[in-house]
Every structure is written in structure tokens, then in C-alpha cells.
Amino acid sequence: MGAAARRLRALSEIPVSQLRHVGPQRTAALAALGLENVLDLLTLFPRRHIDRTRRVDLSDLTVGEEAAVFAEVRSSAARRTRQGKSLVDVTVVDDGETMKVAFFNQPWRAAQLVPGVQAIFFGKVSDFRGTRQMTNPVVDVVVGASGEDHDARRVGGIVALYPASEKAGVTSWEMGGFVEESLRRAGPLLDPLDEAVRSDYSLVDRTAAFWGIHLPTDMAQVAPARRRLVFDEFLRLQLLLALRRRRLHESSTGVRHPFDPADLEAIPGSSPPPGSSLVRQFLAAHRFALTRAQRRVLGDIGRDMSSPIPMHRLLQGDVGSGKTVVALTALLMCVDGARQGAVMAPTEVLAEQHAQALRADLAGLRVRDDEVLGGERDVVVRLLTGRVKGKERQAILRELARGGVDIVVGTHALLSEDVRFRSLGAIVIDEQHRFGVEQRALLRDQGRARSDEPVDPDVLVMTATPIPRTAAMVVFGDLDRSVLDEMPAGRRAVATAWARSTTEVEAAWRRVREEVAAGRRAYVVCPLVSDSERVEATSAVAERTRLATHELRGLSVGLLHGQMKGAEKDEVMSQFRAGEIQVLVATVVIEVGVDVAAASVIVIEDAWRFGLAQLHQLRGRVGRADAQSFCFLLGEAPTPDGVARLEALVGSTDGFALAEVDLELRGEGTLLGARQRGRSDLRLANLRRDEDILLQARSLALELVAGDSWEEHDDLIDELRLFVDDEEARYLFRS
Ligand code: ADP
Ligand code: MG
């Protein structure tokens, strides 16, 4: 090692143009692929490796089985079949033996697979007049036709296959050449983890890891190399999250809200002693007792809220697990300390619903207010959305600033410039899993900036999207986490059926009529038609008319879609709640949070078009009371994934189990979508496969950041700086 060992930063400072075979044209092509320096190249990992040291003879290929064949193109010819289809016939050879490869409807293959090209062909082996053949295989060109250095040594060993780009004109083979040169030029790499740590976590050193993944001499080197590189990816991510938390704790002034754990034991129907907290009064007067999970979670929240470190907690609970009462109790802790609470909902419909429910639940609770006659008044809940305008809005703003509003419920409009609080003590964000780390930080800063009392409000983020544990550690790793893992007693699983035949579909509509006849309510969810709300609304209108005149003739059928005015939506929702509307035909606007306990059946049209998490959310609109509820999925699924989603939904009502399936089907890409930018992305790591590595990296990260000597880890800090922008670096690393 010694002084020569290089940091990743040093690699990032070597432009690709310094490589031997990279001239201006190649530089541009690589730049188009996002590869500008040697570090970019070294973290461009092979998609797979082909072990040429243990080659299979073409003649040994078994007809009917899948195989990967590395061979050189001998000839290729394009022609038309008698039916007029384009056909490219290719003959490839390996070690003197030949195989035929046929491509239908891929005329461009003739230009790609010219004699001399070496490629890997993946496909099913068939027999064509005594010769082995593949039809429409997947092709990875390894060595292109011209201009490349045909290094027999490389072709004969283990070949790493890179995500090559036809468009940029860089083959996997060339890419391998650039990577190899980069590795050789880089020399020994500095390892930010010392020997002891590496041995604790069974990690090979960094230099071995990069060589092992790019240029293995034995396939046995690949797995340990990958393990180390995955560990590093997770470690960087977890270090950043842990540092954010540490800085947050150091730089903030939180509120010590009053909290007495004994209050959570209040029994409904009991009379609380005079002078009891609002929390106790509320729970003693409530319709139901808390579940054990709700009490446990409120214990977590109470501990956070009564500590001077601002709460930054995620509350995860499946649909119907009872998050609302938890949030409300938390808000009351805040009101108990004479501070204000804010609830942010993603839509106006939800904000409205929350405000209504909160008012009903808080009826009769009194707080001190020296500015009113008698020095006491009811707890005041106000709704503030973009629709609240004019005098009404001015009045609410005035009361918020004075402290005459205890709880304000709203949408993003809560963050507009003119909203000021006397003393904002807590913020609850409902169903906002789409928020990223930055937005949450912004929200907290805003909370502080808008308040006369300069404190950092406690933040509780609630989500019903069951995120697998590993994904939560990545997406929400900066938050503490509580899970409501118990449903209120007496709930029955929603009976879910995929109605495919005409008879089954008829039975579904019959069920809707029966439930309505029994005094309950039904939802019909219209297909997702396009990204345009307008088009979607039009189709919902048509579907409502069709249903009202056919399947559901004689019933009172209402309509809810995203293009309706706020007041109209409220009107429809309250009619539906009251039973004046019996069946609500709706677009996905009902997806999150809508709570009408009398609804016992939901029909989802063209169900395959929805994502699994979305379907589970939609189904959660029913089964919110003791009555047996039903969910019908309509429509055939034209894709295998669609079938898998619907079958999963029929098979399970457990949101967490479904989330695992979803992750399996979609991969982590979508989940991590908005998480972070730039190079900190997980390139090699896979959340499902690498859960154990994630846990280990996380535990090391927490240990490192919690220790007093964190600031001494120069090498790690220098490396992390590469993965964040300057502003964040200043915040995290104090310079
Ligand atoms: P979530 O928001 O988690 O989907 P809600 O808070 O809307 O769930 O609660 C779902 C339903 O269960 C509501 O009708 C609520 O009143 C009821 N509920 C919540 N907690 C309990 C409990 N401990 N016992 C009985 N019913 C409960
Ligand atoms: Mg809810």
C-alpha cells in the first residue's frame, strides 16, 4: 500500500480521455453514457460474466434447453420468408463447430452480426436438420467487427459483459478494455475500512474487490468482490443518513411536550380526574380502546415528543390499522403544552375528511385561552386548503398567529408565505411517502420559520404503503420508525375475488346490489385510462352513466373524480357517507385514506392496470368496520406481471407480504425513484438479495457515526463528499 494507494476521489479526477484508446470521439461517446472519469468506469459493473475457461462444446448442447453460447459469426444473410417476414440467417462457429441462429423480424441483425463479430447468444437450443439452432436469442456483442484489439487472452478467460451501447457505438468488449486499463493505471486503491473491520465483516479489500468484479481469473473471486462493493454502496448511503440525523440532533431546539405514559391506559367510559391532560380526557371519552400496537407506538411518540430532540418519526401501518387516532393523540400532547399542531394531507378530500373527523372526535375538549371570556374554550380545529379564501382565510390566519387555533388541517397550502403560527409544536404528514429527505427537512425548517416561538416542531410521517423493511432503511433511513402491526379487534379480511367469467362478473354486481339493499355502500373504481386527469374524468362520467342504466339500474349512483371542484367533491362525499349516494363511481382519487365505515364492497375495473400497492390501498377502502366486506377485481390481465399482481391480491390481505411481492415484480428502481440523485445510487446492490449486507453496513455506519472519533475518519469522509453536493457536504461535514 503506502503513499501510492489512491482514493476514489483521485480516480474521479482522471478524465477518460487520458486512457490510451480514448480519443475525442470515444470521450464524447462515453460522456453520453455518463462516463467521464476513471471512477465512473470502475463503477460501471459488468452485467454478468461468461466463463470461457470451462467451455461447452456446441455439439454437447441439449436440444430444448436454454444455453449461452460464445461464438464468432462466420456468415450472415438477410432474406424474406415465403410469408414475407424478414429473416436473418446467421452461422456462428466455436472451436470448429457451427450453430445456426435465426432472427425473425430483426432485419438490422444483418448489419450487426457481420463475419468476425464475437458474441454471446442466449436462447433455447433446437435442432435444424441435424445442426444446433437458436431462434431469436438474446445477443451480447462482445467483440465488434473492426477497430478492436482482439486480445486472445481476454477472450479465452472469464469475460465480463458490460452494459454496452449500440447508440453510442461502444461495445462491451471495448468497455472491458477501458475498464482494464483504468484498473491497471489506478494501481492499489486506498481502503477506507481497516483490516480489523474488514475481517469483522468478512470483506475483501477494495483493490481485490475491483479486480475481482472486473477481471476475475477465477469465477470464485466474483462473489466476494461483489459483496465488498455492495457493502460499500450501502455503507455510504447509511453513513449519510446517520450523519443527517446526527446533525439534525445537534443543530435543533425541540420542544418538550408534556407526556405521561399512564394517560395511554385511560379506559373508555371512565371519568378522568379533574385537571387531567387532554390526552387522558380524549382517550377516556373515545369510542374504542387503543390496540396494544397503538399504545406501544404512542409510547414511542410520547417519548420523542417529551424529549428536547425533535421527533422525526415514520409511522407505518397497514390500511385500517388505526393511524388516525395515533396522530390525533400526538397532536393533543402538543395542545396540552399550549402549542399548535398541523396536519398535512395530500389531497383536499383527505384534508376535509381529517378536519371533520378531528372535530367530531375532539368535541367537548376544553383548553385554556386567556383572551376569551372565562379563560377557557373548546379545542379549535380549522381547515386551510387552497379553496379557503377571502375573509374566511384571513380570519383563520389571524387566529393561527394569535394561537386561537389549536390544530390546523390542510394541504401544501399550509406552507404558503402568509401562514404564521404562534407556536407550531408538531406536524403530522399523512400519506406522504412520496416526500423525500430534502422535502421533509424543508418542511421542518418552514415550520420553524413560520412560528413566533423559534423551535423545531416534532414531525410524524404516516404512511399506509407497506414498505419492506430493507427498502424502508434506504428510503426512510433518516427517520425513526414505528409500525402498527395489529388490526383493531373484530376486523374480518376483505373477501377478494378476481371475477373473470361472465357469471363471476354478474355475481359481483349482484353482491353490490345486496350490500346496498342491506344499507351498506359500494365503490366502483374506474380503469386508469391515461395520465391525463381530464381524459380519466370523461371516462368516469361515461362509466357512471352506463352503470346507472345497466348493472346498477335503480340505485343511487354518484361520481367522484379529480376534475371536480373541491366543494362538489365534499358534497358527494358527505352524500355518500349519509347514504344518499349508495354507489360511488370514482377514479383513483379515493386511493388513499378515504374512510367511510359503511362501505362494504369495492369493484375495481380493469384491475390489472393498477400497481399492487395501489390495489391494496383501494381494497382498504372497505373492511373498515365489523361487516364482512368484498373486493372484486374485473378484467383479464394481458401481461404476466398483471396476472401475478391480481393473484397476489387475491391470495393475501397482508400489506407487508404484498409489498415484498411488489418489490419482487418491479425491482427497487421505482421505490428508490426519487430518493437521491447522482452517484450515491445503488448500482450493484439489490435490496432483496442483499438484505444481510445492508443490515451489516447499517450497523457499522451507526457505530462509526455515533462514536466520538467520527471526524477522524478522513478517508471515509473524503469519499462521502464525492457523493453529495457542496451544500450538503458543508452541512454534514462542517467545513
Ligand atoms: P388508517 O388511517 O390506519 O388506515 P384509520 O385510522 O382510518 O386507519 O382507522 C380505520 C378504522 O378503524 C376507523 O374507522 C377507526 O375509527 C377504527 N379504529 C381505529 N382504531 C381502533 C381501535 N383501537 N378499536 C376499534 N376501532 C378502531
Ligand atoms: Mg388514514
Side-chain angles (χ1 to χ4, degrees), residues 320 323-324 350 353-354 430-431 462 464 592-594 621 624:
K323 292 183 292 297
T324 313
L350 275 187
Q353 175 184 291
H354 275 314
D430 188 18
E431 313 285 6
M462 302 200 293
V592 282
V594 167
R621 298 313 104 212
R624 304 176 74 78

Side-chain angles (χ1 to χ4, degrees), residues 286-292 294 315-326 353-354 361 430-431 462-464 484 486-491 593-597 617 620-621 623-626:
H286 203 50
R287 292 172 276 133
F288 48 72
L290 296 177
T291 62
R292 235 174 328 141
Q294 284 168 328
L315 171 58
Q316 249 187 308
D318 207 344
V319 177
S321 60
K323 292 183 292 297
T324 313
V325 70
V326 171
Q353 175 184 291
H354 275 314
D361 279 345
D430 188 18
E431 313 285 6
M462 302 200 293
T463 177
L484 278 179
E486 178 189 0
M487 287 287 174
R491 284 298 158 69
V594 167
D595 183 23
V596 176
Q617 281 290 326
R621 298 313 104 212
R624 304 176 74 78
D626 296 346

